[in-house]
Amino acid sequence: MPCLRSLRCVRKLWSPAQTSRLLKVAKLHRSVTKPHHEKVMADNKPWALISEVGEQGYLEEVADIIKRHFNIICLKDFLQNPQFHGPKVQALLVWNCCPEAEPSLLGSLPSLKVVANGGVGIDHLDVPYINRLGVKVTNTPGVVSNATADMAMALLLASARKVVEGHQIAINPKTTHIPQCLMGAEVTGSTLGIIGMGHIGYKVAQRSKGFDMKILYHNRSRRSVEDEQAVGATYSENMDDLLRESDFVMLVVNLTPETTGLISHRELSLMKPTATLVNVSRGRVVDQDALVTALQSGTIRAAALDVTHPEPLPRDHALLSLPNVLITPHVGTNTYTTTRKMVQRMVENAVAAVKGLPVPDEVKL
């Protein structure tokens, strides 16, 4: 700064006290101009509409990732004055399906350039409609695969070995002995049928190989011979054959019109009476009424579900009272590491769209 350069010239002429006062003036000048500079930088950032920061939205630490690149406004604040805020918003960041990208909201965002979704599934977004508005849609493939595959195996193991039942017995104040009837199903050496061998399905196969499981898979298209050999997987062109042979059936498909109700009465009747159905895809992939009947009648042994429809289920839903069902509240991606990666990818996609650059994870139907 000029005032600091001047110090070097006058330091020999001035007393130490005078020099000290000049230094204080220079520091004060920097402290005054820095907030102004930061405010200018903040004003230059584009605006993004989000659900909220807190329990029902983004964790504070991941919200900071968004704030580095966007000014953010939460939906509650936006709705108080959409006419004022709407023209500023260029990115809609959707987390856990919120904010809902419905026509009434999209219509109030004339400058919108991108709807960036956190997660792979985009069944809650009307992509063709959004695209017709001239708005791009993005998701976050890849970064969710490991955490979701971990959760899939956790559900399989917990159901097979009755982990939750064992925990309840262990903490029950009335427990005086450990019952020997708490018998589970063998995982090692069993047959796993994976329906949907995309990123996540393949990660499940990699993990199940460690349990010496025989791996069958059904997919829209067969994977390469190299992929199959790497995990020891066998392709089942007919899904019915996979259902008949598997001890565990794992659903890892995207929700589409073709996969809605994919598993219903007929499919469940093909499964072994000792088999377990594991679902980490979407609740509507399974006909839940048919599943209740199959579990009650002993058509299959058990079900382990990270997804249902709706979420959460009504508190009086039959699935919640069945002893052979394990349900978790759609937490397949809920780790700090994966959540940060998801938000970072959302932001990268949104920034690219706002700047008119190629978008890494644009969804094109």
Side-chain angles (χ1 to χ4, degrees):
M1 294 175 61
C3 57
L4 290 178
R5 287 197 296 270
S6 300
L7 264 178
R8 299 189 185 98
C9 300
V10 302
R11 188 170 284 172
K12 294 181 180 179
L13 302 176
W14 285 13
S15 68
Q18 290 172 313
T19 302
S20 176
R21 285 195 294 272
L22 184 57
L23 280 169
K24 289 179 181 179
V25 171
K27 290 178 181 178
L28 178 61
H29 178 74
R30 286 200 302 272
S31 67
V32 169
T33 57
K34 184 178 180 182
H36 174 72
H37 174 70
E38 290 177 348
K39 184 178 186 301
V40 170
M41 291 295 289
D43 289 343
N44 288 336
K45 288 189 293 188
W47 282 84
L49 175 60
I50 68 171
S51 53
E52 65 175 272
V53 177
E55 185 177 347
Q56 301 298 320
Y58 298 85
L59 299 173
E60 186 68 50
E61 52 264 43
V62 298
D64 288 340
I65 298 173
I66 305 174
K67 292 175 184 177
R68 291 177 203 146
H69 301 274
F70 288 94
N71 292 308
I72 63 172
I73 182 167
C74 296
L75 182 62
K76 181 179 179 181
D77 296 330
F78 174 87
L79 293 176
Q80 291 179 357
N81 195 344
Q83 292 79 15
F84 174 75
H85 297 296
K88 298 187 294 184
V89 174
Q90 296 187 60
L92 175 62
L93 305 185
V94 179
W95 188 256
N96 292 333
C97 302
C98 296
E100 293 184 33
E102 54 190 5
S104 59
L105 177 61
L106 297 174
S108 66
L109 305 174
S111 303
L112 189 66
K113 294 183 178 179
V114 61
V115 175
N117 184 63
V120 178
I122 42 86
D123 50 276
H124 54 291
L125 299 174
D126 188 343
V127 177
Y129 173 77
I130 296 171
N131 288 163
R132 286 197 297 272
L133 298 175
V135 177
K136 297 182 184 299
V137 175
T138 70
N139 63 353
T140 60
V143 296
V144 304
S145 300
N146 282 318
T148 307
D150 289 347
M151 189 66 190
M153 292 304 295
L155 285 168
L156 187 155
L157 290 163
S159 176
R161 298 307 304 271
K162 299 192 174 182
V163 171
V164 175
E165 296 93 324
H167 170 73
Q168 291 170 341
I169 290 171
I171 66 170
N172 190 331
K174 296 181 180 180
T175 297
T176 57
H177 69 282
I178 306 300
Q180 296 304 305
C181 62
L182 194 66
M183 303 297 286
E186 192 82 9
V187 174
T188 299
S190 61
T191 299
L192 171 64
I194 302 172
I195 300 177
M197 193 68 139
H199 284 288
I200 299 170
Y202 196 76
K203 293 287 186 180
V204 171
Q206 289 176 327
R207 285 151 177 74
S208 58
K209 184 182 178 184
F211 288 89
D212 296 325
M213 300 180 85
K214 177 184 176 182
I215 304 167
L216 307 176
Y217 78 97
H218 176 74
N219 203 45
R220 286 178 299 179
S221 56
R222 185 171 182 174
R223 296 195 69 120
S224 68
V225 173
E226 292 76 16
D227 283 350
E228 291 179 349
Q229 291 177 345
V231 294
T234 301
Y235 180 60
S236 294
E237 186 173 356
N238 189 330
M239 189 177 75
D240 289 358
D241 293 336
L242 178 148
L243 293 170
R244 292 188 183 98
E245 297 178 40
S246 300
D247 299 303
F248 299 91
V249 174
M250 181 82 69
L251 302 176
V252 205
V253 296
N254 292 325
L255 182 64
T256 66
E258 292 74 29
T259 61
T260 299
L262 180 68
I263 303 297
S264 192
H265 292 282
R266 190 188 75 84
E267 290 74 25
L268 291 164
S269 70
L270 297 175
M271 293 172 63
K272 297 178 181 180
T274 55
T276 298
L277 180 70
V278 183
N279 188 9
V280 292
S281 56
R282 285 291 187 269
R284 285 190 286 168
V285 171
V286 177
D287 178 342
Q288 290 180 163
D289 292 337
L291 180 59
V292 168
T293 300
L295 291 165
Q296 290 175 331
S297 64
T299 301
I300 64 173
R301 186 189 76 89
L305 316 170
D306 187 46
V307 289
T308 59
H309 181 72
E311 292 171 351
L313 288 171
R315 296 299 84 186
D316 60 349
H317 196 282
L319 279 174
L320 300 181
S321 61
L322 294 178
N324 50 349
V325 179
L326 172 60
I327 302 177
T328 51
H330 203 156
V331 292
T333 62
N334 283 29
T335 72
Y336 286 106
T337 298
T338 294
T339 298
R340 281 192 291 268
K341 288 180 179 178
M342 290 169 67
V343 173
Q344 183 63 49
R345 184 68 69 86
M346 290 172 68
V347 169
E348 290 170 0
N349 287 325
V351 168
V354 167
K355 291 183 176 180
L357 301 173
V359 179
D361 301 305
E362 183 176 359
V363 176
K364 297 180 179 179
L365 299 182

